[in-house]
Coordinates of all heavy atoms in Angstrom, one line a residue:
L1 N -1.5 -44.5 -69.5 CA -1.5 -43.4 -70.4 C -0.5 -42.3 -70.0 O -0.6 -41.2 -70.4 CB -2.9 -42.8 -70.6 CG -4.0 -43.7 -71.1 CD1 -5.3 -42.9 -71.3 CD2 -3.6 -44.4 -72.4
T2 N 0.5 -42.7 -69.2 CA 1.5 -41.7 -68.8 C 2.2 -41.0 -70.0 O 2.3 -39.8 -69.9 CB 2.6 -42.4 -67.9 OG1 2.0 -43.1 -66.9 CG2 3.5 -41.4 -67.4
A3 N 2.5 -41.7 -71.0 CA 3.2 -41.1 -72.1 C 2.4 -40.1 -72.8 O 2.9 -39.1 -73.4 CB 3.7 -42.2 -73.1
A4 N 1.1 -40.3 -72.9 CA 0.2 -39.3 -73.5 C -0.1 -38.2 -72.6 O -0.4 -37.0 -73.1 CB -1.1 -40.0 -73.9
Y5 N -0.1 -38.4 -71.3 CA -0.5 -37.4 -70.3 C 0.6 -36.4 -70.0 O 0.4 -35.2 -69.9 CB -0.9 -38.1 -69.0 CG -1.6 -37.3 -68.0 CD1 -2.9 -36.8 -68.2 CD2 -1.0 -37.0 -66.7 CE1 -3.5 -36.1 -67.2 CE2 -1.7 -36.3 -65.7 CZ -2.9 -35.8 -66.0 OH -3.6 -35.1 -65.0
L6 N 1.9 -36.9 -70.0 CA 3.0 -36.0 -69.6 C 3.1 -34.8 -70.5 O 3.4 -33.7 -70.0 CB 4.3 -36.8 -69.6 CG 4.7 -37.4 -68.2 CD1 5.9 -38.3 -68.4 CD2 5.0 -36.3 -67.2
P7 N 3.0 -34.9 -71.8 CA 3.1 -33.7 -72.7 C 2.1 -32.6 -72.4 O 2.4 -31.4 -72.5 CB 2.9 -34.3 -74.1 CG 3.4 -35.7 -74.0 CD 2.9 -36.1 -72.7
F8 N 0.9 -33.0 -71.9 CA -0.1 -32.1 -71.6 C 0.3 -31.3 -70.3 O 0.1 -30.0 -70.3 CB -1.5 -32.8 -71.3 CG -2.1 -33.5 -72.4 CD1 -2.7 -34.7 -72.3 CD2 -2.1 -32.9 -73.7 CE1 -3.2 -35.4 -73.3 CE2 -2.7 -33.6 -74.7 CZ -3.3 -34.8 -74.6
I9 N 0.9 -32.0 -69.3 CA 1.4 -31.3 -68.2 C 2.5 -30.3 -68.5 O 2.5 -29.1 -68.1 CB 1.9 -32.3 -67.1 CG1 0.8 -33.2 -66.7 CG2 2.5 -31.5 -65.9 CD1 1.2 -34.2 -65.6
K10 N 3.5 -30.8 -69.3 CA 4.6 -29.9 -69.7 C 4.2 -28.7 -70.5 O 4.7 -27.6 -70.3 CB 5.6 -30.8 -70.5 CG 6.3 -31.8 -69.6 CD 7.3 -32.6 -70.4 CE 8.1 -33.6 -69.5 NZ 9.1 -34.4 -70.2
E11 N 3.2 -28.8 -71.3 CA 2.7 -27.7 -72.0 C 2.1 -26.7 -71.1 O 2.3 -25.5 -71.2 CB 1.6 -28.1 -73.1 CG 1.0 -27.0 -73.9 CD 2.0 -26.1 -74.7 OE1 3.1 -26.6 -75.0 OE2 1.6 -25.0 -75.0
G12 N 1.3 -27.2 -70.1 CA 0.8 -26.3 -69.1 C 1.8 -25.6 -68.3 O 1.7 -24.4 -68.0
L13 N 2.9 -26.3 -67.9 CA 4.0 -25.7 -67.1 C 4.7 -24.7 -68.0 O 5.2 -23.7 -67.4 CB 4.9 -26.8 -66.6 CG 4.4 -27.7 -65.5 CD1 5.4 -28.8 -65.2 CD2 4.0 -26.9 -64.3
R14 N 4.8 -24.9 -69.3 CA 5.4 -23.9 -70.2 C 4.7 -22.6 -70.1 O 5.2 -21.5 -70.1 CB 5.6 -24.4 -71.6 CG 6.3 -23.5 -72.5 CD 6.1 -23.9 -74.0 NE 4.7 -23.8 -74.4 CZ 4.1 -22.6 -74.6 NH1 4.7 -21.5 -74.5 NH2 2.8 -22.6 -75.0
R15 N 3.3 -22.7 -70.2 CA 2.5 -21.5 -70.1 C 2.6 -20.8 -68.8 O 2.6 -19.6 -68.7 CB 1.0 -21.9 -70.4 CG 0.7 -22.2 -71.9 CD -0.8 -22.3 -72.2 NE -1.4 -23.5 -71.6 CZ -1.6 -24.6 -72.2 NH1 -1.2 -24.7 -73.5 NH2 -2.2 -25.6 -71.7
F16 N 2.8 -21.6 -67.7 CA 3.0 -21.1 -66.4 C 4.3 -20.3 -66.4 O 4.4 -19.1 -65.9 CB 3.0 -22.2 -65.4 CG 3.3 -21.8 -64.0 CD1 2.7 -20.7 -63.4 CD2 4.2 -22.5 -63.2 CE1 2.9 -20.3 -62.1 CE2 4.4 -22.1 -61.9 CZ 3.8 -21.0 -61.3
H17 N 5.3 -20.8 -66.9 CA 6.6 -20.2 -67.0 C 6.5 -18.8 -67.8 O 7.0 -17.8 -67.4 CB 7.6 -21.1 -67.7 CG 8.9 -20.4 -68.1 ND1 9.1 -20.0 -69.4 CD2 10.0 -20.1 -67.4 CE1 10.3 -19.5 -69.5 NE2 10.9 -19.5 -68.3
D18 N 5.8 -18.9 -68.9 CA 5.6 -17.7 -69.7 C 4.8 -16.6 -69.0 O 5.1 -15.4 -69.1 CB 5.0 -18.0 -71.1 CG 5.8 -18.8 -72.0 OD1 7.1 -18.9 -71.7 OD2 5.3 -19.4 -72.9
C19 N 3.9 -17.1 -68.2 CA 3.0 -16.2 -67.4 C 3.9 -15.4 -66.4 O 3.8 -14.2 -66.2 CB 1.9 -16.9 -66.8 SG 0.9 -16.0 -65.6
L20 N 4.8 -16.2 -65.7 CA 5.6 -15.6 -64.7 C 6.6 -14.6 -65.3 O 7.0 -13.6 -64.7 CB 6.4 -16.6 -63.9 CG 5.5 -17.5 -63.0 CD1 6.4 -18.7 -62.5 CD2 4.9 -16.7 -61.9
Q21 N 7.1 -14.9 -66.6 CA 8.0 -14.1 -67.3 C 7.4 -12.7 -67.6 O 8.1 -11.7 -67.6 CB 8.5 -14.8 -68.5 CG 9.4 -16.0 -68.3 CD 10.9 -15.6 -68.2 OE1 11.2 -14.5 -67.8 NE2 11.8 -16.4 -68.7
N22 N 6.2 -12.7 -68.0 CA 5.6 -11.5 -68.6 C 4.6 -10.8 -67.8 O 3.9 -9.9 -68.3 CB 4.9 -12.0 -69.9 CG 5.9 -12.6 -70.9 OD1 7.0 -12.1 -71.1 ND2 5.5 -13.8 -71.5
A23 N 4.4 -11.2 -66.5 CA 3.4 -10.5 -65.7 C 3.9 -10.2 -64.3 O 4.9 -10.8 -63.9 CB 2.1 -11.4 -65.6
K24 N 3.3 -9.2 -63.7 CA 3.7 -8.9 -62.3 C 2.5 -9.2 -61.4 O 1.4 -8.7 -61.7 CB 4.1 -7.4 -62.2 CG 5.4 -7.1 -63.0 CD 5.8 -5.6 -62.8 CE 7.1 -5.3 -63.5 NZ 7.5 -3.9 -63.3
F25 N 2.8 -9.9 -60.3 CA 1.7 -10.2 -59.4 C 2.1 -9.8 -58.0 O 3.3 -9.8 -57.7 CB 1.5 -11.8 -59.4 CG 1.2 -12.4 -60.7 CD1 2.1 -13.3 -61.3 CD2 0.1 -11.9 -61.5 CE1 1.8 -13.9 -62.5 CE2 -0.1 -12.5 -62.7 CZ 0.7 -13.4 -63.2
P26 N 1.2 -9.5 -57.2 CA 1.5 -9.3 -55.8 C 1.9 -10.6 -55.1 O 1.6 -11.7 -55.6 CB 0.1 -8.8 -55.2 CG -0.9 -9.2 -56.1 CD -0.3 -9.3 -57.5
P27 N 2.7 -10.5 -54.0 CA 3.2 -11.7 -53.4 C 2.2 -12.7 -53.1 O 2.4 -13.9 -53.3 CB 3.9 -11.1 -52.1 CG 4.2 -9.7 -52.4 CD 3.1 -9.2 -53.3
E28 N 1.0 -12.3 -52.6 CA 0.0 -13.3 -52.2 C -0.5 -14.1 -53.4 O -0.8 -15.3 -53.3 CB -1.2 -12.7 -51.4 CG -1.9 -11.6 -52.2 CD -1.3 -10.2 -52.1 OE1 -0.2 -10.1 -51.6 OE2 -2.0 -9.3 -52.4
T29 N -0.7 -13.4 -54.5 CA -1.1 -14.1 -55.8 C 0.0 -15.0 -56.3 O -0.3 -16.1 -56.7 CB -1.4 -13.0 -56.8 OG1 -2.5 -12.2 -56.4 CG2 -1.9 -13.7 -58.1
L30 N 1.2 -14.5 -56.2 CA 2.3 -15.4 -56.7 C 2.5 -16.6 -55.9 O 2.8 -17.7 -56.4 CB 3.6 -14.6 -56.7 CG 4.8 -15.2 -57.4 CD1 4.5 -15.5 -58.8 CD2 6.1 -14.4 -57.3
T31 N 2.2 -16.5 -54.6 CA 2.3 -17.6 -53.7 C 1.2 -18.7 -54.1 O 1.5 -19.9 -54.1 CB 2.0 -17.2 -52.2 OG1 3.1 -16.3 -51.8 CG2 2.1 -18.4 -51.3
T32 N 0.0 -18.3 -54.4 CA -1.0 -19.2 -54.8 C -0.7 -19.8 -56.2 O -0.8 -21.0 -56.3 CB -2.4 -18.4 -55.0 OG1 -2.7 -17.8 -53.8 CG2 -3.5 -19.4 -55.5
L33 N -0.1 -19.1 -57.1 CA 0.2 -19.6 -58.4 C 1.4 -20.6 -58.3 O 1.4 -21.6 -58.9 CB 0.6 -18.5 -59.4 CG -0.4 -17.4 -59.6 CD1 0.0 -16.5 -60.7 CD2 -1.8 -18.0 -59.9
M34 N 2.4 -20.3 -57.4 CA 3.5 -21.1 -57.2 C 3.1 -22.5 -56.6 O 3.6 -23.5 -56.9 CB 4.5 -20.5 -56.3 CG 5.3 -19.3 -57.0 SD 6.5 -19.9 -58.2 CE 7.7 -20.8 -57.2
R35 N 2.1 -22.4 -55.7 CA 1.6 -23.6 -55.0 C 1.0 -24.5 -56.1 O 1.2 -25.7 -56.1 CB 0.6 -23.2 -53.9 CG 0.2 -24.4 -53.1 CD -0.8 -24.0 -52.1 NE -0.3 -23.1 -51.1 CZ -0.7 -21.8 -51.0 NH1 -1.7 -21.4 -51.8 NH2 -0.2 -21.0 -50.1
E36 N 0.1 -23.9 -56.9 CA -0.5 -24.7 -58.0 C 0.5 -25.3 -59.0 O 0.4 -26.5 -59.3 CB -1.6 -23.8 -58.7 CG -2.5 -24.6 -59.6 CD -3.7 -25.2 -58.9 OE1 -4.0 -24.6 -57.8 OE2 -4.3 -26.1 -59.4
G37 N 1.4 -24.5 -59.4 CA 2.4 -24.9 -60.3 C 3.3 -26.0 -59.7 O 3.7 -26.9 -60.4
N38 N 3.6 -25.8 -58.4 CA 4.5 -26.8 -57.8 C 3.8 -28.2 -57.7 O 4.5 -29.2 -57.8 CB 4.8 -26.3 -56.4 CG 5.8 -27.2 -55.7 OD1 6.9 -27.4 -56.1 ND2 5.5 -27.7 -54.5
I39 N 2.5 -28.2 -57.5 CA 1.8 -29.5 -57.5 C 2.0 -30.2 -58.8 O 2.3 -31.4 -58.8 CB 0.3 -29.3 -57.2 CG1 0.1 -28.9 -55.7 CG2 -0.5 -30.6 -57.5 CD1 -1.3 -28.5 -55.4
W40 N 1.8 -29.5 -59.9 CA 1.9 -30.2 -61.2 C 3.4 -30.5 -61.6 O 3.6 -31.5 -62.2 CB 1.3 -29.3 -62.3 CG -0.2 -29.4 -62.2 CD1 -1.1 -28.5 -61.6 CD2 -1.0 -30.5 -62.6 NE1 -2.4 -29.0 -61.7 CE2 -2.4 -30.2 -62.3 CE3 -0.7 -31.7 -63.2 CZ2 -3.4 -31.1 -62.6 CZ3 -1.8 -32.6 -63.5 CH2 -3.1 -32.3 -63.2
L41 N 4.3 -29.7 -61.1 CA 5.7 -30.0 -61.3 C 6.1 -31.3 -60.6 O 6.7 -32.2 -61.2 CB 6.6 -28.9 -60.8 CG 8.1 -29.1 -60.9 CD1 8.5 -29.3 -62.4 CD2 8.9 -28.0 -60.3
A42 N 5.6 -31.4 -59.3 CA 5.9 -32.6 -58.6 C 5.3 -33.8 -59.2 O 5.9 -34.9 -59.2 CB 5.4 -32.4 -57.1
R43 N 4.1 -33.7 -59.7 CA 3.4 -34.8 -60.4 C 4.2 -35.2 -61.6 O 4.4 -36.4 -61.9 CB 2.0 -34.4 -60.8 CG 1.0 -34.3 -59.6 CD -0.4 -33.9 -60.0 NE -1.3 -33.8 -58.9 CZ -2.6 -33.4 -59.0 NH1 -3.0 -33.0 -60.2 NH2 -3.3 -33.4 -57.9
S44 N 4.6 -34.3 -62.4 CA 5.3 -34.6 -63.7 C 6.6 -35.3 -63.4 O 7.0 -36.2 -64.0 CB 5.5 -33.3 -64.5 OG 6.4 -32.4 -63.9
Q45 N 7.4 -34.8 -62.3 CA 8.6 -35.4 -62.0 C 8.5 -36.8 -61.5 O 9.3 -37.7 -61.8 CB 9.4 -34.5 -61.0 CG 9.8 -33.2 -61.5 CD 10.5 -32.3 -60.4 OE1 10.2 -32.4 -59.3 NE2 11.3 -31.4 -60.9

C-alpha cells in the first residue's frame, strides 16, 4: 500500500513545513519537532 500511504506522509510534512513557517519555538522544542519530522522525511524518501 505504499502508493496510498505516501500521500498521507507528504500531507503531514506539508503541515510541518507550514508550522515552521508561521510559528516561533524555543530551540529545545524545535529540536524535538525536527527529530520527529526527520523520521518521517527519511521514511518517505
